[in-house]
Amino acid sequence: MREGVTRSRRRGSAILLACLLVLVAGLFLASLAVGPVLLSPEEVLKALAGEGTETARIIVAEIRLPRALLALMIGATLGLSGAALQGLLRNPLAAPSLFGAPAAAAFGAVTVISLGVVDALSFALPFAAIAGALASVALLILVAGPRASLLILILAGLAISSLAGAGTALALNLAPNPFAALEIAFWLLGSLEDRSMRHVLIALPFMVAGAAFLIWDRRAFRALTLGEEAAASLGFNLTGVRLRVVIGVALGVGASVAVAGTIGFIGLVAPHLMRPFVRYDPGRLLVPAALSGAALLLAADIAVRLIPSSGEIKVGVLTALIGAPFFIALIMRRRHDLSGAAS
Amino acid sequence: MNPPEKILTVSGLGVRFGKRAILAGIDLAVSAGEVVAIVGPNGAGKTTLLRAIAGLLPAKGNIEIAGSPVGKLSLAERARRVAYLPQGHVFHWPLTAAEIVALGRLPRGAGADLSEADRLAVSMAMAATGVTEFAERSVTTLSGGERARVALSRVLATEAKLILADEPTASLDPRYQLIVLDILRRHAKDGGAVIAVLHDLGLAARYADRIVVLDSGSVAAAGAPRDVLTKALLAKTFGVNAQIVTLVDAPVVIPWSVT
């Protein structure tokens, strides 16, 4: 009987992965097709193969491909980071944005830009953003301690967010000229517009490294279902797990912010949507959460091109507009547990 | 006949939190086939002792598990030899009972997919505690007694020789208290060993081969239940005047009044 259950479950996760891959591939193609010039799927495929009209080739390969790749990479990174943080902290409300990591990464990036050390296309930018994210997540875990309740984590995250926000505001405040300030402000809103393959190349290595750190500990996340003590007694070095998650989240979120500004709530929503499909197993959640994160951001980035407006709506604004009410709904559904945790 | 296999030898164990000594000079030896109960007033260091043996906190002194110093064992090897059942049976995600029990196989290398040996160990552990019928139910839908048995199955599934159980009978009704202790007793009979922190002195006397009384971080008394559980000792360490009667070979201790 048990063997049958295991086999049907394995088939279930294979079907889930296949569905998610088809969805992501479909959205990726749609992202290449949609814009001021609407291309047919055929034209897109031809342009990718280096055929078709020159205009179509330029639109697809140089304008929309980097954008679609970044949406894919950043969405996957945020979904994976959220799932890993939720696994580590054993709480479905944990997400990088709630703990101030993106805000701190933005502060790191804005500081080096406004100091005029580097321009927005430099390879040094992700390092500054990653340093910001790393400092914030490390500070969070330091402040909250090993047995932190969610309340403490969120309060500490709020404080770190505010601090990073104030730092960013100061950098804007002291910006050498109003145009620089405006540019930084727009960049902060989170957007994938006008990105190039250079951005893809800047972010990719950090995201791959970050993902490797996060996926490494999937067995530990499963063991943490039993709490920290039992997980440690099952042979997991939790100090190492915590450190790898901190570094993995900082690498991924830092690189994301460095190339696209702050895009929130994907890390919260993506794991949540996938959890019932993996039967709440925090270890099996990681890859589906990454794929659904990619799908969400690809969809959001297509939506901002379709929504009629005077200028293009920034994708970070859209994810916050959809994600924040989702977060509110999640809090309302878990009100009971949360008031227990806070006491 | 060979002397029973030594499963745990602890000597000169000490634990400090900052400047405060929580445990000092603890000696303890446990052989295969033994159930040892740790009793003592609140704050005596019982849980700390279990956690130190499980390797969950830094401790001074020597701990040898099945002949190997604990510092020489890898984390996974230590986890294969010692299974730890913490207090309270928390489950943070609504996994099924079978999936929770399968977590006990992690030290033996189990991933998301279980091997034949893993599956066998899981179903035997679930049969031993009588939770097979809940296998596919989410643990969050189970009652307290059912959860306690699922948690115990998880510990059994590891197939570790030594089980450390922190108040395994807490918040269980009398029937489940006996069921849980019977399971631990059987583990010892099958060649394992159990160290359990218990608050109920009567149950400790009835189920344990030896009782270790902890008081303020050191061993106040240790030995067979009838030798250890005396009126004088109970008055001194617990601050209670107790009535003690012997029924079917085991002392029955009833705390009667405060000293």
Side-chain angles (χ1 to χ4, degrees), chain A residues 2 9 219 225 229 279, chain B residues 51 92 96 99 106 110 136:
Chain A
R2 292 271 312 136
R9 200 162 298 163
R219 295 171 78 243
T225 303
E229 289 210 306
R279 300 171 56 100
Chain B
R51 294 180 60 202
H92 289 283
T96 66
E99 286 167 333
L106 285 170
E136 296 309 318

Side-chain angles (χ1 to χ4, degrees), chain B residues 161-221:
Chain B
K161 278 272 170 90
L162 178 61
I163 290 180
L164 306 172
D166 196 354
E167 295 194 34
T169 57
S171 73
L172 293 183
D173 65 31
R175 185 179 144 80
Y176 278 128
Q177 293 185 12
L178 297 181
I179 287 173
V180 162
L181 289 171
D182 280 336
I183 293 163
L184 292 175
R185 186 73 259 177
R186 200 179 320 141
H187 175 76
K189 190 166 160 272
D190 293 344
V194 175
I195 304 179
V197 169
L198 293 173
H199 266 302
D200 187 316
L201 299 174
L203 285 176
R206 178 145 140 47
Y207 277 93
D209 301 295
R210 275 188 300 136
I211 290 184
V212 173
V213 183
L214 277 190
D215 189 15
S216 312
S218 50
V219 176

Side-chain angles (χ1 to χ4, degrees), chain A residues 150-165:
Chain A
L150 187 70
L151 182 71
I152 293 176
L153 284 168
I154 288 189
L155 288 176
L158 184 68
I160 293 168
S161 259
S162 311
L163 186 64

